[in-house]
Amino acid sequence: MPKSLKIGLILLLITGLSGCVFFRLNSFRKQLARFPAYFTIALVDEHPVITCRKPVLHASDLTWLSGLPPCVEDGGKKQRVATWNLTKLYLNEKADNRDKENHDISIVLHSEKKKIKTIILPTSFNHLIDEALIDHVFKQADTADIEKKQTSAEWSMANSKVLPTMRDILKVAGKPYEWTETDSEIHINFRYHLEGRETPADQVDVSGTLAYAKPNRSFLWSKIRVGKMYFSTRSSSKGMFKVKLRRK
């Protein structure tokens, strides 16, 4: 039995993940590693729309990964629409109203026969999301090391100017929830609440912290949490970034 399959089956047993879900996620991982071959990105009414050429993933797989169910689900067996609405949180309740209006996040998935066909992102994302960026981040995802004890996958990503600058992030996400600085780094943090969750209004369902060097503000590392799913990047000693995806 190939080593990769052995590791996958062990991971399957540890996480309690059903076989079908595991194989769909594994297929999706391989597709991400060849992003231009399996996906297209186009602007539709200023929304970035990702279309899957050969869909494999189900919306329920994303719910399992993140632990966050969609706010709204509609449709029948052949076609369904799932929507996640994220309300941006502010440390200062007197935040600019214009920022509040423009920086909530809505993600819509259209599925055909259970498989995700299109992903519609907010209009603000058209300043950030493009094929080159996604291709760069996931290019070696199919060679990821799988850590069975931590139910995680890690792969290398070459350093690149394609990575978002601080200006890019602020343009997309607006005012940070929190801005902190050390002698050598700037950290910006964003937090969101999933609409409709029976939790306190300040419940943090999605959060992200990005670090930039001082004084040139070059990208250093990031930590992003979407429910139970953790996505991080960090510099390695070889001038590369290590990308890690983990589920708690």
Side-chain angles (χ1 to χ4, degrees):
M1 182 182 292
K3 182 180 178 182
S4 59
L5 184 56
K6 285 182 180 178
I7 294 174
L9 291 175
I10 292 170
L11 181 62
L12 180 66
L13 292 172
I14 290 174
T15 61
L17 187 58
S18 75
C20 291
V21 177
F22 168 77
F23 287 113
R24 285 198 299 270
L25 289 171
N26 196 44
S27 296
F28 186 65
R29 173 176 69 104
K30 292 178 179 179
Q31 287 186 348
L32 284 174
R34 298 179 59 203
F35 190 84
Y38 289 97
F39 304 90
T40 60
I41 299 181
L43 285 181
V44 180
D45 295 329
E46 297 188 11
H47 288 267
V49 177
I50 301 174
T51 300
C52 310
R53 289 193 173 108
K54 295 182 179 180
V56 293
L57 210 59
H58 293 186
S60 58
D61 299 336
L62 297 183
T63 297
W64 179 85
L65 270 175
S66 65
L68 301 176
C71 305
V72 181
E73 237 181 329
D74 198 12
K77 291 183 178 180
K78 291 186 177 180
Q79 294 187 334
R80 291 191 68 79
V81 179
T83 304
W84 283 261
N85 294 318
L86 298 168
T87 302
K88 187 178 175 185
L89 301 178
Y90 293 85
L91 183 60
N92 178 3
E93 294 181 0
K94 295 180 180 180
D96 190 314
N97 286 331
R98 185 171 56 183
D99 191 80
K100 288 184 178 181
E101 290 172 4
N102 294 337
H103 292 103
D104 287 347
I105 295 174
S106 181
I107 298 173
V108 182
L109 304 184
H110 287 261
S111 300
E112 295 180 2
K113 296 180 181 179
K114 293 187 177 182
K115 295 179 180 180
I116 299 170
K117 181 67 177 177
T118 59
I119 303 170
I120 304 173
L121 301 172
T123 56
S124 59
F125 279 40
N126 64 26
H127 301 294
L128 180 64
I129 296 294
D130 60 33
E131 189 175 290
L133 173 63
I134 300 178
D135 182 41
H136 181 74
V137 172
F138 291 100
K139 201 170 191 67
Q140 297 187 52
D142 59 336
T143 63
D145 292 327
I146 297 175
E147 172 54 60
K148 57 182 182 292
K149 291 183 179 179
Q150 296 186 17
T151 60
S152 66
E154 185 175 76
W155 63 95
S156 295
M157 177 182 69
N159 196 347
S160 172
K161 293 181 180 179
V162 172
L163 294 174
T165 65
M166 182 186 291
R167 183 178 180 182
D168 293 331
I169 295 298
L170 296 177
K171 193 171 184 179
V172 170
K175 294 182 177 179
Y177 180 88
E178 196 169 25
W179 175 299
T180 57
E181 297 187 29
T182 67
D183 291 341
S184 59
E185 297 182 8
I186 299 171
H187 301 166
I188 54 175
N189 174 261
F190 299 90
R191 302 180 186 185
Y192 301 86
H193 168 70
L194 183 66
E195 184 181 290
R197 292 260 283 174
E198 294 182 2
T199 50
D202 62 349
Q203 172 72 42
V204 179
D205 294 307
V206 175
S207 64
T209 299
L210 297 96
Y212 295 86
K214 292 169 68 175
N216 64 358
R217 297 193 173 187
S218 58
F219 178 75
L220 292 175
W221 56 262
S222 66
K223 293 180 181 178
I224 298 170
R225 179 178 67 83
V226 180
K228 295 179 179 180
M229 186 168 55
Y230 292 75
F231 185 87
S232 63
T233 58
R234 58 182 174 80
S235 298
S236 72
S237 58
K238 297 181 180 180
M240 306 279 284
F241 283 107
K242 283 287 186 180
V243 182
K244 187 171 186 177
L245 180 64
R246 178 168 61 94
R247 182 186 183 275
K248 273 195 173 181

